[in-house]
Amino acid sequence: MKTIPYKTYLSEQQMPDAWQNLRADMPHCPPILHPGTLQPVTLDDLSHVFVEELAKQELSTEKFISIPGEVMDFYRMIRPSPLVRAYALEKALGTPARIYYKFEGTNTSGSHKLNSAVPQAYYAKQQGLTSLTTETGAGQWGTAMSMACVYYGIDLSVYMVKISSQQKPYRKAVMETYGASVTPSPSNTTNAGRAALAENPDTQGSLGNAISEALEAAMTRDNCRYVLGSVLQHVLLHQSVIGLEARAAMDSLEEYPDVVIGCAGGGSNLGGLIVTYAADKLAGKASPEIIAVEPASCPSLTRGKFAYDFGDVAKTTPLIKMYTLGSGFKPHANHAGGLRYHGMNTSLSQLYDDGLLHAKAVTQRSVFDAAITFARTEGTLPAPESAHAIRAAIDEALACKESGESKCILFGLSGTGYFDMQAYQDYLSGAMDDNIPGEETLQSGFASLPQIG
Ligand SMILES: *Cc1c(COP(=O)(O)O)cnc(C)c1O
């Protein structure tokens, strides 16, 4: 084997110029249904809500979709991202495992979200749209979208989950710096927001409800569409740049991972990271273990149901078959805001159902314990979401120490934690708890599932 450098960067010429579609290798992936007719949605159905090119990608079964030149231009400003060998972490753990991570937090938005925000804003511009609406939970997606929209000259309205806007006031300031208008959700500016406030005036908001507000706003404005930063197939498609770059870098080191790990909220960074390895697995060419890591407080894969569900609380989206806790599930206000969604991308849900993807739920304090070990060894301050993947990677590496196996572990470090210092402080001061929903909470979420034959 070659001597492995700490960091491996591709050159700009080696950056992928086409996205890879995981769905192309999964003909059995369940279609999105129209909630009225219960028939598979058409391009026309989706184009009322979504940017048309994104709607096309949502339905596409093409394996490769070329990345437009103007998107490549933006990608070149922020990519490639580094693949890092975690020598210091390995040493601290005393493990024979080789640990690599693909770090997506080097851009100002601080996460992988910009990889999808850029093409989404670009295609909106191409269509002649003048504004977009979206929601943001932890704030990363809203930040990424505001950066992309200002670049392509599109107005952006962001509905930000109220608890997050309180926990992270500077996120709002960053979005406003990039020209977006930010409304804490639920708000009294939409029917969906007013309904949520009427039901519970003290509500801290939820991602599902913010989606309802953003959708409603998009439908009532001219020349406007709604964009989403996770869960959907076109978002996974864009995030394949993570996995394509990681694969090229790993190949150049003559490394093939035994284990690939990512945190999973709606599944986009994980789906992007694993794209080529999952394709190998589906083709029977190799069998790397693929692990999705989710919070024990919002366990859509490990405790959810594989069922058709709505993407939002107001039940206005098309129906997606996914592992879900029900759109009415109310997750505890844990500190990994990006992992607080009730469902999971369809392709990943299907892979999990097929036994090709494993899932692991981890508790909040064990995640922060891993985050701090990582920060103190590798030097990079991880986002709480990303630290879920670190937790699982460390556990794998410690298992190798027990067994003496020298596995190759690749994980996705989806972002940095600069805006999450309240969470770190809570952990360090002992004020953080582990919240695991009881059966009753889960049952009340499942009760919100639509009854579909
Ligand atoms: C949004 C976010 C996630 C979760 O979203 P996925 O679609 O599951 O990737 C994870 N990490 C970070 C840093 C995020 O911003």
Side-chain angles (χ1 to χ4, degrees):
M1 195 176 303
K2 292 189 179 177
T3 314
I4 306 278
Y6 276 80
K7 288 205 293 301
T8 306
Y9 281 102
L10 303 183
S11 70
E12 281 183 23
Q13 290 71 35
Q14 291 169 306
M15 281 169 62
D17 59 6
W19 293 297
Q20 185 171 334
N21 192 357
L22 177 58
R23 165 97 185 279
D25 296 318
M26 301 185 65
H28 60 311
C29 218
I32 302 176
L33 301 184
H34 187 287
T37 63
L38 299 185
Q39 293 302 306
V41 286
T42 61
L43 181 60
D44 196 46
D45 295 333
L46 290 180
S47 301
H48 292 300
V49 181
F50 296 108
V51 175
E52 189 169 345
E53 195 59 34
L54 299 173
K56 274 189 198 150
Q57 293 178 352
E58 188 61 29
L59 300 175
S60 174
T61 54
E62 292 287 308
K63 185 148 180 173
F64 295 101
I65 295 179
S66 70
I67 305 174
E70 285 169 72
V71 172
M72 282 305 293
D73 288 343
F74 197 125
Y75 275 178
R76 286 193 188 95
M77 294 197 289
I78 56 161
R79 308 197 64 80
S81 70
L83 177 81
V84 188
R85 173 78 184 264
Y87 281 119
L89 178 64
E90 289 170 17
K91 190 166 167 216
L93 299 174
T95 177
R98 303 188 302 288
I99 308 175
Y100 294 87
Y101 56 92
K102 178 76 170 158
F103 182 38
E104 290 295 315
T106 54
N107 68 77
T108 292
S109 79
S111 81
H112 65 285
K113 298 275 191 337
L114 197 50
N115 300 332
S116 185
V118 172
Q120 296 206 32
Y122 167 76
Y123 289 124
K125 183 73 182 173
Q126 286 297 102
Q127 193 179 328
L129 300 173
T130 50
S131 68
L132 291 171
T133 69
T134 195
E135 76 296 325
T136 196
Q140 286 97 319
W141 171 244
T143 308
M145 227 24 241
S146 63
M147 291 170 70
C149 281
V150 78
Y151 181 82
Y152 292 110
I154 301 264
D155 286 337
L156 177 69
S157 301
V158 181
Y159 290 85
M160 183 171 190
V161 178
K162 196 180 278 173
I163 174 86
S164 295
S165 70
Q166 289 161 358
Q167 284 172 347
K168 304 181 187 185
Y170 289 129
R171 275 278 178 204
K172 181 164 178 276
V174 178
M175 288 183 254
E176 288 169 347
T177 300
Y178 285 94
S181 83
V182 182
T183 308
S185 167
S187 73
N188 56 20
T189 65
T190 65
N191 290 330
R194 285 186 289 269
L197 288 170
E199 196 191 314
N200 176 8
D202 299 322
T203 176
Q204 298 187 307
S206 72
L207 208 49
N209 199 257
I211 294 174
S212 302
E213 287 208 271
L215 268 171
E216 187 183 327
M219 302 300 285
T220 51
R221 286 179 203 171
D222 288 338
N223 237 357
C224 180
R225 293 290 186 282
Y226 163 76
V227 289
L228 185 65
S230 182
V231 187
L232 296 176
Q233 303 286 34
H234 66 267
V235 185
L236 258 76
L237 175 74
H238 305 149
Q239 295 299 352
S240 67
V241 292
I242 304 172
L244 290 164
E245 282 183 15
R247 178 65 180 261
M250 291 290 278
D251 285 353
S252 77
L253 302 174
E254 295 169 18
E255 284 279 37
Y256 194 97
D258 299 296
V259 191
V260 188
I261 300 169
C263 65
S268 73
N269 88 87
L270 175 70
L273 176 69
I274 68 172
V275 67
T276 71
Y277 297 114
D280 285 356
K281 218 169 162 165
L282 284 158
K285 284 192 206 154
S287 54
E289 184 179 10
I290 301 175
I291 305 177
V293 192
E294 61 184 12
S297 58
C298 194
S300 41
L301 287 171
T302 51
R303 295 173 73 193
K305 291 195 168 147
F306 194 30
Y308 271 102
D309 194 9
F310 292 98
D312 69 327
V313 173
K315 303 191 175 183
T316 50
T317 66
L319 293 163
I320 301 177
K321 190 167 182 193
M322 56 184 173
Y323 272 87
T324 177
L325 297 164
S327 64
F329 176 75
K330 296 200 175 61
H332 181 70
N334 70 52
H335 281 294
L339 306 183
R340 231 183 269 151
Y341 188 66
H342 64 273
M344 184 60 62
N345 168 265
T346 296
S347 298
L348 295 185
S349 293
Q350 186 65 54
L351 280 178
Y352 180 61
D353 206 56
D354 293 343
L356 298 176
L357 170 86
H358 295 161
K360 190 170 172 177
V362 290
T363 53
Q364 189 163 231
R365 280 180 292 191
S366 75
V367 165
F368 276 85
D369 181 63
I372 284 173
T373 299
F374 187 81
R376 290 180 184 175
T377 52
E378 290 294 312
T380 294
L381 181 77
E385 291 88 351
S386 321
H388 286 68
I390 299 174
R391 174 74 270 161
I394 289 179
D395 290 346
E396 285 291 326
L398 291 175
C400 287
K401 186 177 176 178
E402 283 289 305
S403 66
E405 274 176 291
S406 154
K407 283 189 186 170
C408 177
I409 300 168
L410 169 65
F411 74 89
L413 190 68
S414 51
T416 62
Y418 280 123
F419 285 107
D420 300 283
M421 295 327 293
Q422 184 62 49
Y424 276 90
Q425 230 169 40
D426 287 353
Y427 175 73
L428 292 167
S429 69
M432 182 176 282
D433 59 5
D434 289 331
N435 188 281
I436 301 176
E439 270 312 307
E440 226 169 275
T441 309
L442 290 189
Q443 287 311 325
S444 74
F446 294 144
S448 69
L449 285 172
Q451 298 305 315
I452 294 179

